[in-house]
Amino acid sequence: MIDTHFMSAIILALKTGLNRLDHSTEQTSQSSATLWVVATPIGNLGDLSPRAQAILAEVPVIAAEDTRVSQKLVPARSTAPHWFSLHEHNEATGINRLIQRLRDGDDVALVSDAGTPLISDPGYRLVCAAHDHGIRVSPVPGPSAAMAALSAAGLATDRFHFEGFLPAKSAARRTRLRALAQRSETLIFYAPARDLTAVLGDLTAEFGPQREAAIARELTKQFETIRRDTLADLKAFVESDGNQQRGETVVLSAGADRTSQAQTIEPMALAHELAQELPPARAARIIARLSGMDRREAFAQIERLRAS
């Protein structure tokens, strides 16, 4: 339950902040309105930040992926917001109305069904259009399934690649995974849990059964699962438990181990490089030591390469 006194104080602070916009910002606004990009809970409603609550309690227009879902986050208001449905099927054609509301001076809050807008969710075209029209865009940070999963997966976090949803068909999915297989950073994927067995199977085929990985299913919800293991063992775990095939899942894979990826050097290419860089006798000794070739034969080979 939201503390009404606390909410009133936050709303007052928000109004004061909006009336004192810092005009030294790099965005040169032609309108006094702001497009707020508001992160919403990925499961547990308690993760909605006080600042997000305050904006949703006050902003005149809310653009939501599914208004029925987002209405649960908005506290009781004396004046109901104008709801605008913004999803992947109407974003390209529907943003003009929102831009006009912003140009008329009405703040707009952009929310998705869960998590941070634009991260595998609609909103990119609206944010781009707002910048094109000189309208202030400001994030209200909060939950993100990718970052939540990464923080709890027990895999390297210093460098990561967010891939989002993989292709739905296995052949296309494996082609994409093959292109990612040698990347050294942690890889993050989104997957409906109903496809989790198939996705883990394709990951196992392309990355190898012993690649360390993790699944983070139904994050922050009652039946949350976070498990780290090899890809092969994760696949077996999901196959053995039908509950793991329900809901939404983040799949994470460790990056490729560069220490085990020593490239095979073609002997003649090595000999050619040594012949160019070292005196013939020294180059011949190295070639003989590495290849088992007779030193005189190696010397003759080096001489031929230097003459060519």
Side-chain angles (χ1 to χ4, degrees):
M1 182 68 67
I2 298 172
D3 187 308
T4 55
H5 296 292
F6 180 56
M7 282 297 303
S8 297
I10 290 177
I11 293 170
L12 178 60
L14 177 63
K15 288 181 177 178
T16 302
L18 291 174
N19 291 330
R20 297 177 180 176
L21 290 179
D22 181 7
H23 296 289
S24 66
T25 181
E26 292 181 2
Q27 295 172 319
T28 303
S29 179
Q30 298 174 358
S31 165
S32 60
T34 298
L35 172 60
W36 301 98
V37 184
V38 182
T40 58
I42 57 177
N44 192 316
L45 296 183
D47 292 336
L48 185 67
S49 72
R51 184 163 171 250
Q53 292 175 5
I55 288 173
L56 294 177
E58 185 72 12
V59 72
V61 181
I62 301 176
E65 187 177 2
D66 186 332
T67 58
R68 295 167 300 177
V69 172
S70 299
Q71 283 174 357
K72 301 174 184 178
L73 303 175
V74 178
R77 298 174 44 159
S78 58
T79 302
H82 175 79
W83 287 93
F84 187 95
S85 180
L86 186 74
H87 47 75
E88 60 179 337
H89 301 297
N90 74 348
E91 185 181 3
T93 57
I95 58 176
N96 289 338
R97 290 164 57 193
L98 288 168
I99 291 297
Q100 188 57 55
R101 293 294 297 259
L102 286 158
R103 296 185 71 179
D104 289 343
D106 289 334
D107 280 12
V108 173
L110 171 65
V111 298
S112 62
D113 285 353
T116 301
L118 281 74
I119 310 303
S120 287
D121 278 325
Y124 170 73
R125 292 184 178 91
L126 175 60
V127 170
C128 283
H131 281 286
D132 290 342
H133 287 83
I135 295 167
R136 180 175 182 249
V137 180
S138 183
V140 183
S144 166
M147 295 301 96
L150 181 63
S151 71
L155 299 176
T157 59
D158 55 335
R159 294 175 63 241
F160 57 88
H161 169 79
F162 174 67
E163 181 71 11
F165 286 100
L166 289 161
K169 294 186 177 180
S170 181
R173 186 163 60 232
R174 288 189 60 169
T175 297
R176 180 57 188 157
L177 289 173
R178 198 170 303 131
L180 297 169
Q182 299 308 316
R183 296 192 68 142
S184 59
E185 64 268 51
T186 297
L187 304 171
I188 306 174
F189 308 97
Y190 283 167
R194 66 177 181 274
D195 297 335
L196 190 52
T197 300
V199 169
L200 288 171
D202 289 339
L203 278 163
T204 300
E206 298 300 334
F207 289 11
Q210 297 307 308
R211 179 80 71 95
E212 192 172 41
I215 57 172
R217 188 187 67 89
E218 294 291 270
L219 285 169
T220 77
K221 299 177 184 178
Q222 181 179 1
F223 299 107
E224 175 184 85
T225 300
I226 299 175
R227 188 180 183 97
R228 186 186 69 177
D229 212 324
T230 64
L231 282 168
D233 286 343
L234 285 175
K235 180 174 181 291
F237 166 68
V238 172
E239 287 177 329
S240 68
D241 184 354
N243 289 326
Q244 302 305 320
Q245 299 168 40
R246 300 175 181 174
E248 297 294 331
T249 307
V250 183
V251 181
L252 305 96
S253 168
D257 183 2
R258 292 300 187 191
T259 61
S260 65
Q261 295 179 21
Q263 295 182 349
T264 301
I265 301 175
E266 205 280 322
M268 287 303 296
L270 175 61
H272 185 272
E273 291 299 316
L274 291 173
Q276 302 302 314
E277 298 295 331
L278 298 174
R282 187 176 179 189
R285 283 198 303 272
I286 294 173
I287 291 295
R289 186 164 61 246
L290 293 177
S291 67
M293 186 185 298
D294 180 80
R295 186 182 296 182
R296 286 173 295 181
E297 183 182 350
F299 186 86
Q301 182 65 49
I302 293 294
E303 288 290 276
R304 286 193 294 270
L305 288 170
R306 286 169 64 88
S308 62

